[in-house]
Amino acid sequence: MVAVTYTVAFHGVEARPVEVQCAVAPGLPSFQIVGLANKAVSEARERVRAALDALSIALPSKRITVNLSPADMPKEGSHFDLPIAVALLSALGMIPQEEIGACVLMGELALGGDLVQVAGCLPAALTAASDGRSLICPKASGAEAAWVEAAAVFAAPNLAAVLHHLTGQNLLELAQPGEVTTGQSAKDLSDVKGQERAKRALEIAAAGRHHMLMVGPPGSGKSMLAARLPGLLPPLSPAEALETSMIHSLAGLLDEGGISRERPFREPHSTASMAAIIGGGRSAKPGEVSLAHNGVLFMDEFPEFPRHVLETLRQPIETGEVMVARANAHVKYPSRFMLIAAANPC
Ligand SMILES: Nc1ncnc2c1ncn2[C@@H]1O[C@H](COP(=O)(O)OP(=O)(O)O)[C@@H](O)[C@H]1O
Ligand SMILES: [Mg+2]
């Protein structure tokens, strides 16, 4: 019998729906995952096997095949564990198929069956809401996903709780959204003594969202001024806060699901790699320019940054978006930031 569950795969800030199909057929005992899964997804096999063991559920001596559809879309991350485990339980007849059609599942399984926090639950909840489904995610990610009011979000501590929820024995409670921190920065421009022209320039830059270059000898207060810029800017609007939080959710940076209304302030070091600043790497993660979306990107010791990194800043500065290219996909991240650069004349 074939069972189907739903989850998502990430493409930039977008969470695309993925169907997890599981077939249990007679044949030599095996457990296979197909559908362009990377190493973290293939390893789900061992975690699912151990987590089911912990629930005293033995895998049948049959051929188990899991297909992640659409099969031509690359899939990354450990959040496929839960949908695979639930599809398998359903294929074994332990969870009714009609229950799992109405929810999107994501979560990493520990060997003991506990659900471990995964990145990206906020965009996943948006996708679930647009498909009219609920989201079941790890308890630690619930507060973040619950920000999407249109989706019912259930946060489960372990696989057993998900099993009880889906079989109707013990329903999970709806997750509550995390704190909104209004984030009035503790740093104030009045801490800066003198420097009237620099302060005025900073205020004009903040009012018009202009980029700014500060040149001055070491110890003249350049870093100090830059750090006070987020406090000058108005707090993020709710729409902006959600946009910024989506990127931070993908990077796993949201503390306890709290959404901050404070403008992000990112300060990459001049030795940071191109992938760290622009985005990319093997999984095309967002870089500092995207983490600073709607906020401030402060590049101290500007001339120390490698030339090719400075050149690639042109695209995000001009368009407010950055294209991260990897072997088989182009991912677009929003990156509208104020660039504050500082340099020593010596
Ligand atoms: N105008 C100023 N008002 C108050 N403190 C200052 C001022 N300029 C410098 N400082 C002090 O000197 C320290 C070093 O300044 P910093 O901002 O790191 O300089 P820069 O980045 O230009 O090298 C600051 O942390 C602050 O304590
Ligand atoms: Mg400095």
Side-chain angles (χ1 to χ4, degrees):
M1 149 176 187
V2 177
V4 177
T5 57
Y6 299 93
T7 185
V8 294
F10 295 104
H11 190 264
V13 278
E14 211 186 319
R16 298 194 174 164
V18 168
E19 211 177 279
V20 179
Q21 302 152 354
C22 177
V24 178
L28 281 179
S30 70
F31 186 176
Q32 274 209 340
I33 298 178
V34 298
L36 272 196
N38 80 344
K39 189 102 169 54
V41 183
S42 312
E43 286 173 353
R45 208 166 41 197
E46 302 308 323
R47 291 190 293 267
V48 167
R49 199 193 294 271
L52 291 184
D53 252 358
L55 290 182
S56 312
I57 299 169
L59 291 186
S61 300
K62 291 187 175 174
R63 212 178 70 205
I64 301 168
T65 312
V66 171
N67 178 36
L68 307 174
S69 163
D72 61 350
M73 177 161 70
K75 310 189 184 61
E76 274 158 7
S78 52
H79 63 274
F80 291 94
D81 294 5
L82 181 64
I84 291 172
V86 170
L88 182 53
L89 286 171
S90 179
L92 297 176
M94 299 181 68
I95 297 177
Q97 174 67 49
E98 53 275 17
E99 289 298 326
I100 56 179
C103 55
V104 169
L105 298 149
M106 65 187 299
E108 175 185 326
L109 284 170
L111 296 186
D114 285 344
L115 280 170
V116 181
Q117 181 170 21
V118 287
C121 281
L122 184 61
L126 278 177
T127 302
S130 66
D131 293 345
R133 297 198 169 101
S134 60
L135 175 76
I136 300 185
C137 65
K139 195 161 190 72
S141 305
E144 159 188 338
W147 278 104
V148 181
E149 278 174 6
V153 175
F154 300 99
N158 51 39
L159 182 59
V162 176
L163 182 60
H164 292 155
H165 176 77
L166 292 172
T167 51
Q169 294 169 36
N170 195 356
L171 294 183
L172 292 167
E173 279 180 21
L174 281 174
Q176 296 303 318
E179 297 267 310
V180 188
T181 36
T182 41
Q184 264 319 305
S185 165
K187 292 175 180 162
D188 197 282
L189 205 55
S190 64
D191 302 340
V192 183
K193 306 278 181 284
Q195 299 284 22
E196 295 306 331
R197 281 182 68 192
K199 281 198 249 181
R200 172 124 178 89
L202 196 70
E203 282 162 359
I204 292 172
R209 306 287 162 88
H210 304 299
H211 307 294
M212 187 163 121
L213 169 68
M214 291 185 277
V215 183
S220 55
K222 301 185 296 295
S223 308
M224 194 182 179
L225 279 163
R228 276 147 187 82
L229 183 56
L232 280 184
L233 295 167
L236 293 171
S237 71
E240 284 175 328
L242 198 65
E243 259 179 37
T244 304
S245 300
M246 293 247 281
I247 304 170
H248 287 220
S249 170
L250 278 178
L253 290 179
L254 287 188
D255 302 334
E256 305 187 348
I259 281 191
S260 176
R261 299 281 301 275
E262 191 178 349
R263 302 224 163 232
F265 180 79
R266 304 295 304 184
E267 197 178 353
H269 193 256
S270 56
T271 54
S273 69
M274 174 107 143
I277 293 180
I278 303 301
R282 240 170 9 127
S283 48
K285 286 269 184 226
E288 293 288 340
V289 293
S290 303
L291 294 173
H293 182 55
N294 288 326
V296 178
L297 181 70
F298 176 46
M299 296 176 89
D300 208 352
E301 311 298 349
F302 198 60
E304 300 295 325
F305 282 86
R307 185 190 163 121
H308 62 274
V309 169
L310 298 183
E311 291 291 340
T312 41
L313 287 176
R314 285 175 197 276
Q315 188 204 12
I317 286 175
E318 272 170 27
T319 62
E321 279 176 338
V322 62
M323 282 290 271
V324 178
R326 57 175 170 173
N328 42 12
H330 289 269
V331 185
K332 205 187 266 178
Y333 286 112
S335 61
R336 196 171 293 286
F337 54 84
M338 260 178 85
L339 174 67
I340 304 297
N344 284 322
C346 46

